[in-house]
């Protein structure tokens, strides 16, 4: 089948592509920023189109001549995500009908009946109804908590359980949920492409276990061989307050944590298993919750995490300036440039550069970096906790602490775009140039494009610290390379 995927740079989409290829399908992927797929191992086996689900012309061009459309887009990091998702789904459904697409497959969330739905679950349900109401045969798969290395739900579970031996939790800790392993989610998504046009509808998918969130945390502690966790439910903590705590303790920022935690008031167990009438269970049966945790932890230990929740990034305006633009193209640009010659081998220097962040830190004034990260988290930003997938190798488009890898040209240039809360936009460029003498020239350039008076004031207020932070960073990176 000819399959097009909207949301291929996200957590599920990035894992679905190789599964569809393995099943023999032809795959077209749609991304706002195709550059994020530069390091995808399947890049040369798919057709990549630049497209935005909010642009009618983009959507029409992307769905042309396709038989199966996978819709895996969700604007959870936006305050108005409900309106955006409604508009995007309406556009995609209309374009799919006009192009005579044979099937739409949408991954949503379990929506329990008889309960007041959270904004997150209500939006997922609305998108599913939009697709089902279209003339295109539609399969809506509704999943609860997805357990897999790098998923937002799993990261919340992992960090809360590992960092808090005693947890004071709200009453939602007793809500029931039916988690599903990411492998099983992918199984249902792939098999959905083979259904005949008359097989349509919305179906719940889940693993074999129905547990409470308290049981999930205790089970995680057992599988991870942690001491028994003490969970103390209290009636006063609201989901909103819980999301503020998640924002401080886990890598998941408040913008994503709030709608996720609001959904915890709902029991999200499968209403039935009627999906088995369309798609049989996986050959070995659905993966139990305990085994799903074990598989996810194994992937994390083996540094084999193909996608993470943080791979999806908020959209940028096409007119946003780039640090490579001339000064006049985007208004004022402030720069802090540091250049040093070093006797280190260029390849060794590059390996140090590509290892920055995460557990290695930023090679200067760690207290200042930590303080800035905490301030960003308190304000609802991403902070420094997102870390990195691999301690030594970066991937184009991935999150790196509060940065996003915007350009990766081994072994020459690394450009990072800041995703912390700022009155403007910021980049950090680290580059290597071999010298005739056998050493290398290290160049480090911090670029800031201010937004309004607050942006100019921000740059001038932190400029006195640049000699310590950026100067120390340049010296320590080159010293590290020379020592190696």
């Amino acid at each position: 089948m000819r399959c097009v995927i909207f949301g291929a740079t996200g957590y599920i989409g990035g894992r679905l592509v190789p599964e569809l290829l393995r099943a023999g399908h032809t795959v077209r992927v749609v991304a706002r920023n195709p550059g994020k797929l530069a390091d995808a191992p399947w890049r040369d086996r798919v057709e990549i189109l630049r497209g935005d689900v909010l642009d009618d012309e983009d959507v029409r061009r992307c769905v042309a001549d396709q038989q199966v459309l996978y819709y895996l887009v969700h604007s959870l990091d936006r305050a108005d995500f409900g309106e955006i998702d409604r508009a995007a789904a309406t556009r995609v459904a209309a374009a799919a009908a006009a192009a005579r697409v044979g099937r739409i497959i949408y991954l949503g969330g379990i929506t329990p009946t008889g309960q007041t739905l959270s904004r997150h679950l209500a939006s997922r349900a609305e998108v599913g109804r939009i697709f089902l109401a279209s003339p295109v045969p539609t399969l809506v798969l509704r999943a609860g908590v997805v357990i897999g290395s790098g998923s937002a739900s799993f990261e919340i579970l992992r960090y809360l359980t590992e960092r808090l031996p005693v947890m004071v939790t709200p009453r939602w800790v007793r809500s029931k949920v039916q988690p599903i392993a990411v492998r099983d989610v992918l199984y249902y998504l792939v098999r959905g492409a083979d259904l005949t046009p008359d097989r349509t509808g919305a179906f719940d998918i889940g693993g074999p276990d129905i547990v409470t969130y308290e049981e999930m945390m205790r089970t995680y502690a057992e599988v991870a061989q942690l001491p028994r966790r003490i969970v103390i439910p209290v009636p006063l903590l609201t989901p909103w307050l819980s999301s503020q705590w998640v924002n401080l303790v886990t890598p998941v920022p408040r913008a994503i944590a709030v709608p996720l935690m609001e959904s915890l008031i709902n029991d999200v167990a499968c209403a039935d298993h009627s999906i088995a009438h369309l798609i049989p269970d996986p050959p070995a049966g659905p993966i139990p919750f305990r085994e799903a945790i074990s598989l996810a932890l194994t992937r994390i230990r083996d540094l084999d995490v193909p996608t993470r929740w943080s791979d999806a990034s908020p959209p940028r305006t096409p007119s946003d300036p780039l640090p490579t633009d001339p000064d006049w193209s985007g208004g004022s640009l402030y720069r802090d440039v540091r250049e040093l010659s070093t006797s280190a081998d260029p390849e060794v220097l590059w390996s140090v550069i590509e290892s920055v962040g995460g557990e290695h830190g930023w090679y200067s004034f760690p207290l200042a970096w930590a303080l800035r990260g905490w301030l960003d988290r308190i304000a609802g930003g991403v902070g420094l906790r997102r870390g990195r997938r691999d301690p030594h190798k970066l991937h184009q488009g991935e999150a790196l602490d509060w940065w996003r890898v915007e350009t990766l040209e081994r072994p020459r240039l690394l450009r990072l775009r800041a995703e912390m809360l700022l009155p403007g936009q910021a980049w950090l460029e680290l580059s290597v140039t071999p010298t005739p003498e056998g050493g290398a020239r290290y160049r480090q350039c911090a670029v800031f494009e201010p937004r309004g008076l607050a942006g100019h004031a921000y740059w001038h207020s932190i400029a006195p610290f640049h000699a310590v932070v950026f100067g120390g960073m340049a010296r320590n990176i080159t010293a590290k390379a020379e020592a190696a």
Side-chain angles (χ1 to χ4, degrees):
M1 307 289 283
R2 297 186 303 277
C3 304
V4 57
I5 302 177
F6 287 86
T9 58
Y11 176 72
I12 295 292
R15 299 187 183 213
L16 176 62
V17 172
E19 296 299 322
L20 289 173
L21 292 171
R22 194 173 293 116
H25 300 299
T26 300
V27 179
R28 172 186 292 173
V29 301
V30 182
R32 288 190 306 260
N33 179 13
K36 290 180 62 175
L37 301 172
D39 286 339
W42 37 260
R43 178 183 176 89
D44 295 334
R45 301 169 58 199
V46 304
E47 179 188 8
I48 300 176
L49 296 183
R50 183 186 301 275
D52 189 327
V53 291
L54 294 176
D55 185 292
D56 290 320
E57 181 56 38
D58 280 0
V59 174
R60 284 193 293 268
R61 175 170 47 85
C62 292
V63 303
D65 300 322
Q66 297 301 293
Q67 296 169 290
V68 180
L69 186 157
Y70 284 93
Y71 191 79
L72 306 171
V73 177
H74 193 38
S75 309
L76 199 58
D77 55 354
R78 297 278 298 268
D80 55 347
F81 65 82
E83 298 175 13
I84 293 175
D85 286 343
R86 182 185 311 117
T90 302
R91 282 180 170 84
V92 171
R100 299 185 179 278
V101 171
R103 174 171 296 281
I104 294 174
I105 300 177
Y106 168 62
L107 179 63
I110 293 176
T111 51
T113 58
Q115 300 181 37
T116 301
L117 298 180
S118 68
R119 294 181 304 143
H120 170 223
L121 290 181
S123 176
R124 289 291 181 97
E126 182 182 25
V127 170
R129 288 194 298 269
I130 290 171
F131 287 134
L132 288 168
S134 75
V136 181
T138 296
L139 174 67
V140 174
L141 297 173
R142 301 184 297 207
V145 174
V146 176
I147 301 297
S149 57
S151 79
S153 298
F154 180 73
E155 290 292 279
I156 291 175
L157 173 66
R158 180 163 77 101
Y159 277 81
L160 286 178
T161 308
E162 289 185 353
R163 295 187 173 187
L164 302 176
V166 178
M167 287 175 272
V168 177
T169 60
R171 54 180 177 268
W172 55 252
V173 78
R174 300 283 167 79
S175 298
K176 293 190 178 297
V177 62
Q178 192 165 352
I180 181 171
V182 66
R183 294 189 187 189
D184 289 342
V185 174
L186 296 173
Y187 168 82
Y188 286 113
L189 286 170
V190 173
R191 292 295 296 269
D194 299 324
L195 297 178
T196 55
D198 60 308
R199 314 291 271 183
T200 63
F203 301 88
D204 294 345
I205 57 173
D209 305 301
I210 298 178
V211 294
T212 65
Y213 289 99
E214 178 180 357
E215 291 169 338
M216 289 174 66
M217 290 185 280
R218 294 192 190 280
T219 301
Y220 179 94
E222 292 174 8
V223 175
Q225 298 183 340
L226 300 172
R228 180 178 174 83
R229 268 31 191 169
I230 300 173
V231 180
I232 306 173
V234 296
L236 301 178
L237 292 178
T238 65
W240 184 87
L241 286 173
S242 301
S243 66
Q244 311 309 306
W245 183 243
V246 167
N247 174 62
L248 293 176
V249 176
T250 81
V252 180
R254 189 162 62 206
I256 295 177
V258 168
L260 285 180
M261 302 305 282
E262 287 176 349
S263 301
L264 300 183
I265 60 174
N266 297 115
D267 291 326
V268 284
C270 298
D272 54 48
H273 192 55
S274 57
I275 185 64
H277 300 310
L278 273 69
I279 301 173
D281 288 345
I287 298 174
F289 174 62
R290 182 180 292 269
E291 183 181 346
I293 290 177
S294 179
L295 290 170
L297 289 176
T298 298
R299 285 227 169 194
I300 291 171
R301 284 193 293 266
D302 294 343
L303 302 179
D304 183 22
V305 182
T307 60
R308 297 173 68 197
W309 64 271
S310 55
D311 289 342
S313 59
R316 298 179 59 212
T317 303
S319 60
D320 284 349
L322 291 171
T324 51
D325 292 342
D327 288 355
W328 50 263
S329 64
S332 300
L333 281 180
Y334 292 112
R335 289 184 174 87
D336 181 278
V337 180
R338 311 277 167 170
E339 293 191 74
L340 291 174
S341 293
T342 173
S343 60
D345 181 86
E347 294 285 347
V348 175
L349 178 58
W350 174 259
S351 69
V352 176
I353 290 174
E354 195 171 353
S355 299
V356 296
E359 62 187 53
H360 294 135
W362 293 89
Y363 291 97
S364 72
F365 208 172
L367 180 60
W369 287 87
L371 178 61
R372 184 63 180 88
W374 270 103
L375 291 174
D376 194 56
R377 294 293 292 193
I378 291 172
V382 296
L384 284 173
R385 282 220 181 88
R386 293 189 300 186
R388 47 185 297 158
R389 266 189 268 177
D390 186 296
H392 303 292
K393 186 176 181 180
L394 290 173
H395 301 271
Q396 182 102 8
E398 78 167 304
L400 171 61
D401 291 334
W402 64 45
W403 307 94
R404 177 78 54 181
V405 180
E406 188 165 81
T407 303
L408 181 62
E409 299 176 3
R410 294 188 182 92
R412 189 184 69 83
L413 172 67
L414 171 64
R415 180 183 298 129
L416 306 173
R417 174 168 53 86
E419 291 188 339
M420 69 181 92
L421 298 178
L422 289 170
Q425 297 190 91
W427 294 264
L428 179 62
E429 294 182 345
L430 311 177
S431 62
V432 177
T433 303
T435 58
E437 302 81 32
R441 185 74 177 169
Y442 172 75
R443 186 176 190 272
Q444 175 183 296
C445 180
V447 182
F448 182 68
E449 184 267 327
R451 186 186 306 117
L453 181 62
H456 293 278
Y458 173 81
W459 176 264
H460 290 296
S461 68
I462 63 172
F465 301 100
H466 287 174
V468 176
V469 176
F470 290 134
M473 182 179 177
R475 291 189 298 271
N476 292 334
I477 285 178
T478 52
K480 174 77 172 177
E482 291 170 359

